[in-house]
Amino acid sequence: ETWPNSPAAWVSQWDIAARTLQLLAHSAWSKNTLEEQRTLSGHARAHLQHLRRNRTSNTAESAALCDAAQVIVATHFNGWPESNRWIAQGYRRLESSLAAQMGAANAPTHDPLHLEQCLWAVALAYATTNKAGQAFPASILRTWRSGVQTTVDIAGTSGRIPILDGERTPILPLGPTPITTTLAHLAYHWTDLDCPRHEGEDLAFTRLTDASPQSRDWQTHKHWHANSWRDQGFVTAHNGVHHLLGRANDQAIWWLVNGHRLVHGSATNLVRTGAQMEVARIDGRVFHMKLGDRVARMEGARLAVTDTAANRMLRWTFPTGTTITPTPKGFSATTPLGNLNITAANGWIIDEHSIVHRDGNEDLTVRIELK
């Protein structure tokens, strides 16, 4: 009721594309009168014109989502004079913009959650064209298939992409929130990509395919299983309970337990730099990674991170509801996921649900252990 005349509603290309797809969902999945359908069609067309006029480069975060939305909406509202032309243009653009969302070895160019939602938009485009009896470009589907493999590797056994840099407006409500496993089911159903897939009912998959999902168990790893994309400076490792992710350009580390974020540490306070990922390896029960000047070692339920004196600000943040208490050797923390012992040198400051170290005069090792 408020967005038509609100300037703020027309700033984010991502949000506009998501709203465009939600308009289509109302049209496709609701029992509307002819007048309501005309209204939805008019709103969707205006949104699409706005997206087309303001589209930027293929590498922009919203480019692939906008292009997929153009294909989906123009295919559904096929009575517009521009429908066929917009579909063809959307395919041409999507071929480049989707590839641009993945760098070397198909690593995410932006954050992994962003890539997952772009892949979801392409899946919706494929399902829409199938329903309309139209062909979908094989080159786009191949790129999509590679992207799904990447998101499955990042999600690990949790079946979910962790929220790293902040949530995004969901592109479409498909009943219960679709998870990465749904993309894995779709990729197997459409392209024979046989990556691990959780078992059980998948309503989003069934809605798009009218089929039942076929599961494939994760390979059992005695300790850690890791994937790294060195050129992009991104690494992820999981062992069924613990999930560790690292990103070199801001030397950020995330530690998740059973899919929930336990702690997040950044050596540069989220300022992106030119640091490279130098090491990512598994030695038995131990996982090592070196992200620029930051070295991390995970063994059991203990994470040890060493930073050089070049880092002037270090920050560790914890989930909402965390209580942090100073101790003679560092801190103890009570979180919704358990109790933590945090061993660190002096010079740390408690800041709400985070701990900040501002003195970069000497190398510093922090150990965080989950009881």
Side-chain angles (χ1 to χ4, degrees):
E1 296 178 356
T2 58
W3 57 259
N5 298 315
S6 171
W10 301 95
V11 174
S12 167
Q13 292 291 92
W14 184 280
D15 289 346
I16 296 167
R19 197 165 62 232
T20 305
L21 293 177
Q22 289 160 10
L23 287 167
L24 177 137
H26 282 297
S27 174
W29 297 340
S30 302
K31 295 181 179 179
N32 302 301
T33 65
L34 181 60
E35 185 59 31
E36 288 169 338
Q37 281 290 82
R38 287 174 177 169
T39 300
L40 289 167
S41 174
H43 282 315
R45 186 172 181 274
H47 276 65
L48 198 52
Q49 286 178 316
H50 186 283
L51 291 173
R52 294 180 64 255
R53 283 196 302 265
N54 293 279
R55 185 189 185 277
T56 56
S57 67
N58 289 324
T59 57
E61 289 189 346
S62 60
L65 177 59
C66 292
D67 296 339
Q70 180 168 325
V71 170
I72 296 167
V73 176
T75 300
H76 177 73
F77 295 107
N78 57 9
W80 297 340
E82 310 93 342
S83 289
N84 290 336
R85 178 165 55 87
W86 285 356
I87 292 170
Q89 183 189 57
Y91 281 142
R92 288 195 303 272
R93 290 178 167 180
L94 184 58
E95 187 168 8
S96 300
S97 60
L98 180 60
Q101 304 310 307
M102 295 178 282
N106 300 316
T109 302
H110 305 289
D111 63 274
L113 183 63
H114 161 85
L115 174 60
E116 182 192 49
Q117 293 210 34
C118 286
L119 295 170
W120 255 108
V122 175
L124 293 169
Y126 183 76
T128 303
T129 54
N130 270 351
K131 183 178 180 179
Q134 299 177 7
F136 192 85
S139 57
I140 299 176
L141 200 59
R142 284 194 297 270
T143 303
W144 176 83
R145 186 180 190 270
S146 300
V148 172
Q149 179 68 70
T150 293
T151 59
V152 170
D153 290 339
I154 293 173
T157 54
S158 70
R160 295 181 181 273
I161 289 290
I163 298 173
L164 303 185
D165 292 335
E167 298 190 45
R168 292 184 176 276
T169 302
I171 62 170
L172 197 64
L174 277 170
T177 303
I179 61 176
T180 309
T181 295
T182 305
L183 284 173
H185 282 306
L186 290 171
Y188 177 69
H189 186 75
W190 288 335
T191 70
D192 295 324
L193 176 64
D194 198 18
C195 54
R197 307 176 299 279
H198 290 314
E199 64 180 351
E201 187 179 14
D202 192 324
L203 297 179
F205 171 84
T206 301
R207 186 165 208 170
L208 294 179
T209 63
D210 293 325
S212 297
Q214 300 180 42
S215 64
R216 198 199 79 173
D217 292 338
W218 279 85
Q219 181 181 351
T220 301
H221 296 279
K222 186 176 181 180
H223 301 302
W224 287 95
H225 174 71
N227 292 280
S228 63
W229 296 268
R230 290 179 182 271
D231 290 344
Q232 298 295 106
F234 192 82
V235 61
T236 175
H238 49 82
N239 66 0
V241 175
H242 300 286
H243 193 174
L244 207 66
L245 299 100
R247 184 170 61 193
N249 61 1
D250 56 357
Q251 298 178 45
I253 294 172
W254 294 265
W255 177 7
L256 299 96
V257 177
N258 292 323
H260 300 281
R261 190 167 75 184
L262 175 70
V263 62
H264 169 219
S266 173
T268 55
N269 201 26
L270 298 181
V271 176
R272 304 300 170 86
T273 67
Q276 299 294 316
M277 185 178 73
E278 299 178 31
V279 175
R281 72 175 187 270
I282 299 169
D283 298 328
R285 295 180 62 250
V286 183
F287 172 65
H288 299 263
M289 60 181 170
K290 188 174 188 301
L291 311 170
D293 295 325
R294 168 167 275 202
V295 179
R297 171 189 171 95
M298 181 79 179
E299 182 175 6
R302 173 183 286 184
L303 174 65
V305 179
T306 300
D307 293 281
T308 69
N311 297 315
R312 298 301 178 188
M313 178 180 288
L314 314 176
R315 179 183 293 272
W316 291 96
T317 59
F318 305 89
T320 301
T322 299
T323 301
I324 302 173
T325 306
T327 67
K329 294 184 178 181
F331 301 89
S332 67
T334 301
T335 81
L337 298 175
N339 296 328
L340 295 172
N341 279 337
I342 306 165
T343 306
N346 294 326
W348 289 81
I349 303 169
I350 298 177
D351 179 13
E352 199 170 355
H353 299 301
S354 66
I355 301 175
V356 181
H357 185 270
R358 300 179 185 276
D359 185 5
N361 293 327
E362 59 183 14
D363 290 359
L364 179 68
T365 298
V366 178
R367 293 181 180 85
I368 305 173
E369 185 170 7
L370 177 65
K371 293 182 180 178

